[in-house]
Amino acid sequence: MTTRSSGKIAFVVLRDGTGYVQGVVSKQEVAPEIWDAFRQLTQETSVEVTGSVRADERSPSGVELTVTGLDVLGSGTDFPISPKEHGTAFLFEHRHLWLRSRRQVAIMRVRHEVVQGIRDFFHERDFTLVDTPILTGSIGESAGTLFETEYFDLGKAYLAQTGQLYLEAAAAALGRVYCFGPTFRAEKSKTRRHLTEFWMVEPEVAWNDSDDNMRLQEDLISYIVARCLDRRAEELKELERDATGLERVAPPFPRLSYTDAIAKLGELGADIQWGQDLGGDEETLLANAYDRPLFVYNYPRAVRAFYMKQNPDDPRTVLNNDCLAPEGYGEIIGGSQREDDHDLLLDRIRELGLPEETYGWYLDLRKYGTFVHSGFGLGVERTVGWICGIPHVREAIAFPRTMTRLYP
Amino acid sequence: MTTRSSGKIAFVVLRDGTGYVQGVVSKQEVAPEIWDAFRQLTQETSVEVTGSVRADERSPSGVELTVTGLDVLGSGTDFPISPKEHGTAFLFEHRHLWLRSRRQVAIMRVRHEVVQGIRDFFHERDFTLVDTPILTGSIGESAGTLFETEYFDLGKAYLAQTGQLYLEAAAAALGRVYCFGPTFRAEKSKTRRHLTEFWMVEPEVAWNDSDDNMRLQEDLISYIVARCLDRRAEELKELERDATGLERVAPPFPRLSYTDAIAKLGELGADIQWGQDLGGDEETLLANAYDRPLFVYNYPRAVRAFYMKQNPDDPRTVLNNDCLAPEGYGEIIGGSQREDDHDLLLDRIRELGLPEETYGWYLDLRKYGTFVHSGFGLGVERTVGWICGIPHVREAIAFPRTMTRLYP
């Protein structure tokens, strides 16, 4: 609710959660107490109004409301966020109120569409949702960045960094499965791409190899982007998102092997050697050379997780891929074919000094009816950030968690 | 994969994640090495077969597969779960393999339908999904049952027991919102209704009062049940679920005030006084008196959470409700209208000795444009357990977490 008025006529922008409409009061046509109450309304006061709706071409909503009755339900006096500029720290400290701004409402609606779109995509393709545990004894990615909690008499539990290992068990039962929940990284990272708590969707498919896996990824991303362009055009407009880049997102995405990527990065002037992982800067440099998302595949084994399948054609590498979003957004997906050979997997677990006993159940999957399978993880906030064209992932989630923020 | 054979003909049940089909091999019609390999197949071996499909009325799938070619991909030797009986502890210790059984597959598919149904229900009604944080500084329900973790330099973070408080902030921005994620209770409870980690959907609606809130609940539950009956009839049959009770689930649900419930419990022989909370036994006793879900509303203020709106007509009580599932399943929903008066809410926070500073943002919602609003939480595992007709919630989630189980 925001107001402005002249001596005889007053305007107020009303918001009800479905949209915005301008209300107008004419001094001549209402009782003096309504005129006075209306003129005294302040930003974010909650009200009940009565009146008549009429078409108005000048209005973005297509209508205007001539207000004849007004009940003030809750005052908005001294609402901390005014239309003037505020610093980022101030806004995040008041995130619970900042969410009411048009821009934040638009981002939340795009996020909703992305999430519902992802679920519909998998539901329509006969995937079964399998919610994987957050409290785990096993470690998915890297031990250095785990949140831990005391777990009754069982010692420590860790907050899951991925549901993948559990999903592999479910894929043996149900074929095509996915999980979709919050994941956690206790990383002391302050980049614009990192949160300590973020949502990730992870499909896992029996009998898919790394190539099938990339095809599923490009289908999913293309579906999500097309759906947002179709159903959230108004929100993207509110966000002043130039949609030209998004309109180009369609399969097939360009594919570049890691080895070719290193060569290409050399040509582009980057100082990187075969064997090193790509950092954010290298990803941006590469992704900017393409006008749609890019797959980089078959990374060196040494810089990727223990569960990825060794490449039979080049054992220095694994059958994996990252997907890099264009326009400087970088990695939004990491995926791989999984090591389905029991002995190779056990060797790798030992080589990395991982706690073997907590992976007993995971090794069982290779012992009893092992099978080719692949999957990936898509980060929701990075995807929403890219689609919305916002610079930092922390605006892509309602209550972001970073190493310096746990409130509100 | 399970096999049986006579001297001349052998059968195998094949599973591919979409369903089951019987494969048949005739000794006369295949090469000797295929016949031998086929007869040696053991449970849970992974295979690739070729053959011809023909209609067979006796088969549950309607077809049978005459196998002519066979590739063994992964042995299933010594698969720990045989068709014979196993103890519960053994099965949960082998949950990663037990998921492959027909019964567990059926439960997972019903769970998927429940979750997708919930999301579709809210999406179709223009709710916006708002994912609320797991890592929180505020405490939602009761401080005694929190998991906690060190959070960088900010002290301790707690794993969320509810997303509701955050959702209330979002409802002020978006009107109708919901969250749907894992929630945590570090409860030393061993009942068949408790998990330490469970999924909960929580809608929150601006301008809904307690009565509207109950109507939304009965619509949601009726929608989910009807959808499972419609789309998961095969799975419910596999689970030998007598669906008669489920077919009666339609609005309106019977409503009983807490005060009337106490009187009724007295008639039914229970030893309970006004002011005491209902326990599992009382809930079951009450729910069994009805043939569909039951609302019990307006509980004593002293036994309910601080954020519930005081009942203006009887300040000893609050405007809340529980929803009790029939057939002995008990509470599946807790909901309430929220206290929207700043001073009453602050009094309550102080009265209970809650850490005021962590609720500053929550009080802000009553300071700036307060509004009538209501919401509720529906527990997924309890709902799935009821629909599937299974006795313990731990079978309603792929990898259950209880005070004695963190593995697999």
Side-chain angles (χ1 to χ4, degrees):
Chain A
M1 237 236 31
T2 48
T3 52
R4 67 200 159 83
S5 78
S6 70
K8 291 180 177 173
I9 197 156
F11 302 92
V12 61
V13 177
L14 299 157
R15 163 167 64 75
D16 73 347
T18 68
Y20 305 87
V21 68
Q22 178 160 274
V24 192
V25 169
S26 162
K27 188 176 179 180
Q28 282 184 295
E29 290 166 26
V30 294
E33 61 273 19
I34 290 184
W35 172 252
D36 288 340
F38 201 88
R39 292 194 61 188
Q40 283 161 29
L41 290 176
T42 55
Q43 197 193 346
E44 286 301 318
T45 298
S46 54
V47 296
E48 189 174 322
V49 296
T50 47
S52 54
V53 174
R54 57 184 175 68
D56 183 339
E57 282 181 14
R58 294 162 307 175
S59 153
S61 65
V63 294
E64 201 172 65
L65 180 71
T66 305
V67 174
T68 53
L70 171 71
D71 262 332
V72 174
L73 305 175
S75 151
T77 312
D78 300 326
F79 189 72
I81 302 174
S82 60
K84 69 168 196 215
E85 286 279 316
H86 294 283
T88 302
F90 180 87
L91 289 171
F92 278 104
E93 191 71 13
H94 293 86
R95 184 68 172 163
H96 54 296
L97 303 175
W98 185 29
L99 285 177
R100 302 182 189 181
S101 78
R102 285 187 185 232
R103 184 178 158 82
Q104 299 305 317
V105 164
I107 295 171
M108 289 303 109
R109 291 210 201 279
V110 172
R111 181 184 169 108
H112 168 84
E113 199 65 48
V114 167
V115 173
Q116 186 71 25
I118 289 169
R119 296 197 175 259
D120 289 348
F121 177 90
F122 288 116
H123 182 65
E124 286 161 14
R125 282 158 187 77
D126 287 325
F127 280 67
T128 302
L129 171 73
V130 174
D131 293 310
T132 52
I134 304 299
L135 296 167
T136 60
S138 319
I139 299 162
E141 298 281 336
S142 68
T145 57
L146 288 163
F147 288 108
E148 59 181 38
T149 183
E150 291 298 326
Y151 196 82
F152 304 101
D153 299 332
L154 300 179
K156 291 203 186 307
Y158 305 97
L159 301 194
Q161 297 178 321
T162 169
Q164 173 204 318
L165 278 57
Y166 294 94
L167 269 191
E168 292 183 52
L174 294 145
R176 303 157 165 253
V177 292
Y178 78 102
C179 67
F180 196 169
T183 51
F184 302 86
R185 304 279 157 92
E187 254 176 311
K188 292 199 172 174
S189 171
K190 288 188 175 181
T191 82
R192 64 187 176 81
R193 294 179 184 181
H194 287 91
L195 296 166
T196 58
E197 176 180 337
F198 60 98
W199 282 67
M200 183 156 66
V201 58
E202 297 176 85
E204 190 73 32
V205 184
W207 311 119
N208 264 14
D209 63 18
S210 184
D211 182 58
D212 301 324
N213 197 33
M214 283 189 266
R215 272 189 277 128
L216 185 64
Q217 292 167 47
E218 62 196 9
D219 284 350
L220 172 64
I221 291 175
S222 304
Y223 174 92
I224 299 168
V225 169
R227 183 157 161 166
C228 288
L229 288 173
D230 180 35
R231 304 192 191 182
R232 297 296 168 181
E234 210 180 297
E235 283 80 7
L236 294 175
K237 200 175 149 201
E238 174 70 43
L239 294 165
E240 298 172 333
R241 175 67 164 122
D242 174 1
T244 324
L246 297 176
E247 281 156 8
R248 277 192 297 263
V249 176
F253 295 171
R255 297 184 183 192
L256 200 60
S257 74
Y258 167 85
T259 301
D260 290 346
I262 293 298
K264 182 154 189 138
L265 281 167
E267 289 164 24
L268 294 168
D271 180 25
I272 188 170
Q273 303 299 318
W274 200 101
Q276 294 178 297
D277 202 358
L278 307 188
D281 290 347
E282 286 87 16
E283 286 177 4
T284 304
L285 198 58
L286 266 185
N288 283 347
Y290 297 85
D291 69 352
R292 67 194 69 195
L294 168 71
F295 289 130
V296 181
Y297 64 92
N298 296 6
Y299 281 64
R301 196 161 170 252
V303 298
R304 279 298 178 268
F306 72 94
Y307 50 71
M308 295 183 178
K309 187 164 180 67
Q310 201 171 41
N311 182 2
D313 296 333
D314 179 0
R316 297 176 307 161
T317 64
V318 285
L319 298 176
N320 83 314
N321 77 275
D322 283 355
C323 180
L324 312 180
E327 303 178 70
Y329 281 91
E331 189 196 334
I332 52 173
I333 280 183
S336 72
Q337 190 171 328
R338 317 309 187 184
E339 185 55 77
D340 48 75
D341 183 284
H342 177 273
D343 296 344
L344 286 179
L345 183 64
L346 182 57
D347 285 351
R348 193 72 178 132
I349 286 173
R350 287 178 176 162
E351 201 178 330
L352 295 173
L354 294 170
E356 210 173 308
E357 64 286 2
T358 65
Y359 293 101
W361 67 269
Y362 186 63
L363 285 159
D364 275 357
L365 307 178
R366 281 72 184 168
K367 225 186 232 168
Y368 305 113
T370 192
F371 57 110
V372 168
H373 59 292
S374 301
F376 62 89
L378 170 84
V380 166
E381 289 75 17
R382 290 182 180 186
T383 304
V384 171
W386 164 47
I387 292 175
C388 288
I390 53 182
H392 197 301
V393 290
R394 69 190 162 193
E395 260 187 275
I397 187 166
F399 296 94
R401 296 296 180 242
T402 62
M403 60 175 288
T404 57
R405 176 149 304 284
L406 189 59
Y407 177 99
Chain B
M1 237 234 31
T2 48
T3 52
R4 68 199 157 81
S5 78
S6 70
K8 293 182 176 169
I9 196 156
F11 302 92
V12 63
V13 177
L14 299 157
R15 165 168 63 75
D16 73 345
T18 68
Y20 304 87
V21 70
Q22 179 160 272
V24 192
V25 169
S26 163
K27 187 176 179 179
Q28 282 184 294
E29 288 167 25
V30 294
E33 62 274 18
I34 289 184
W35 172 253
D36 288 340
F38 202 87
R39 291 194 61 188
Q40 283 161 28
L41 289 176
T42 56
Q43 196 194 346
E44 286 300 321
T45 298
S46 54
V47 296
E48 189 173 323
V49 295
T50 47
S52 55
V53 174
R54 59 186 173 68
D56 183 338
E57 282 181 11
R58 295 162 306 175
S59 155
S61 65
V63 293
E64 203 173 64
L65 180 71
T66 304
V67 174
T68 52
L70 172 71
D71 262 332
V72 174
L73 304 176
S75 152
T77 311
D78 301 326
F79 189 71
I81 303 174
S82 60
K84 69 166 198 219
E85 286 279 313
H86 295 284
T88 302
F90 179 87
L91 289 171
F92 279 103
E93 191 70 15
H94 294 85
R95 184 66 172 166
H96 55 296
L97 302 175
W98 185 27
L99 285 178
R100 302 183 189 181
S101 79
R102 284 186 185 231
R103 186 179 157 80
Q104 299 306 318
V105 164
I107 295 171
M108 288 304 109
R109 291 211 200 279
V110 172
R111 182 185 169 107
H112 168 84
E113 199 66 47
V114 166
V115 173
Q116 186 71 25
I118 290 169
R119 295 196 177 260
D120 289 349
F121 177 90
F122 288 117
H123 182 65
E124 286 161 13
R125 283 158 186 77
D126 288 326
F127 280 67
T128 302
L129 171 73
V130 175
D131 293 309
T132 52
I134 305 299
L135 296 166
T136 59
S138 317
I139 299 162
E141 298 281 336
S142 68
T145 57
L146 289 163
F147 289 108
E148 58 182 37
T149 184
E150 292 297 327
Y151 197 82
F152 304 102
D153 299 333
L154 301 179
K156 290 201 186 308
Y158 305 97
L159 302 194
Q161 299 178 320
T162 170
Q164 173 204 318
L165 278 55
Y166 295 95
L167 269 191
E168 293 183 51
L174 294 146
R176 302 158 165 251
V177 292
Y178 78 103
C179 68
F180 196 169
T183 52
F184 303 86
R185 302 281 157 92
E187 255 177 309
K188 291 198 173 175
S189 171
K190 288 187 176 182
T191 83
R192 62 189 178 79
R193 293 178 185 181
H194 288 90
L195 296 167
T196 57
E197 176 179 337
F198 60 98
W199 282 66
M200 185 156 66
V201 58
E202 298 177 85
E204 190 74 31
V205 184
W207 311 118
N208 264 13
D209 63 18
S210 184
D211 182 59
D212 301 325
N213 197 33
M214 284 188 266
R215 273 190 276 129
L216 185 63
Q217 292 168 46
E218 62 195 8
D219 284 350
L220 172 64
I221 291 175
S222 304
Y223 174 92
I224 298 168
V225 170
R227 183 157 161 166
C228 287
L229 288 173
D230 180 35
R231 304 193 191 181
R232 296 296 167 181
E234 210 180 298
E235 284 79 7
L236 294 175
K237 201 177 148 200
E238 174 70 43
L239 295 166
E240 298 172 334
R241 174 68 163 120
D242 174 2
T244 323
L246 297 177
E247 282 156 7
R248 277 192 297 264
V249 177
F253 294 171
R255 297 185 184 191
L256 200 61
S257 74
Y258 166 85
T259 301
D260 290 346
I262 292 298
K264 182 155 190 139
L265 282 167
E267 289 164 26
L268 293 168
D271 180 25
I272 188 169
Q273 304 298 319
W274 201 102
Q276 294 178 297
D277 202 359
L278 306 187
D281 291 346
E282 287 86 17
E283 287 177 3
T284 304
L285 197 59
L286 266 186
N288 283 347
Y290 297 86
D291 69 351
R292 68 195 67 195
L294 168 70
F295 289 129
V296 181
Y297 64 91
N298 295 7
Y299 281 63
R301 195 162 171 251
V303 298
R304 280 296 179 271
F306 73 95
Y307 49 71
M308 296 184 178
K309 186 163 181 68
Q310 202 172 39
N311 181 0
D313 296 333
D314 178 358
R316 297 175 309 161
T317 64
V318 286
L319 298 176
N320 83 312
N321 77 277
D322 282 355
C323 180
L324 311 181
E327 304 177 69
Y329 282 90
E331 188 196 334
I332 52 174
I333 280 183
S336 72
Q337 190 172 326
R338 317 308 189 185
E339 185 55 76
D340 48 75
D341 183 284
H342 177 273
D343 295 345
L344 286 179
L345 183 64
L346 182 57
D347 285 350
R348 193 72 178 133
I349 285 173
R350 287 178 176 164
E351 202 178 330
L352 296 173
L354 294 170
E356 210 173 308
E357 63 287 2
T358 65
Y359 293 102
W361 66 268
Y362 186 63
L363 285 159
D364 275 357
L365 307 178
R366 281 73 184 167
K367 224 186 235 169
Y368 305 113
T370 192
F371 57 111
V372 168
H373 59 293
S374 301
F376 62 88
L378 170 84
V380 167
E381 288 75 19
R382 289 183 180 186
T383 304
V384 171
W386 164 47
I387 292 174
C388 288
I390 53 181
H392 197 302
V393 291
R394 69 192 161 193
E395 262 188 272
I397 186 165
F399 296 94
R401 295 295 180 242
T402 63
M403 62 175 285
T404 58
R405 178 149 302 285
L406 189 59
Y407 176 98

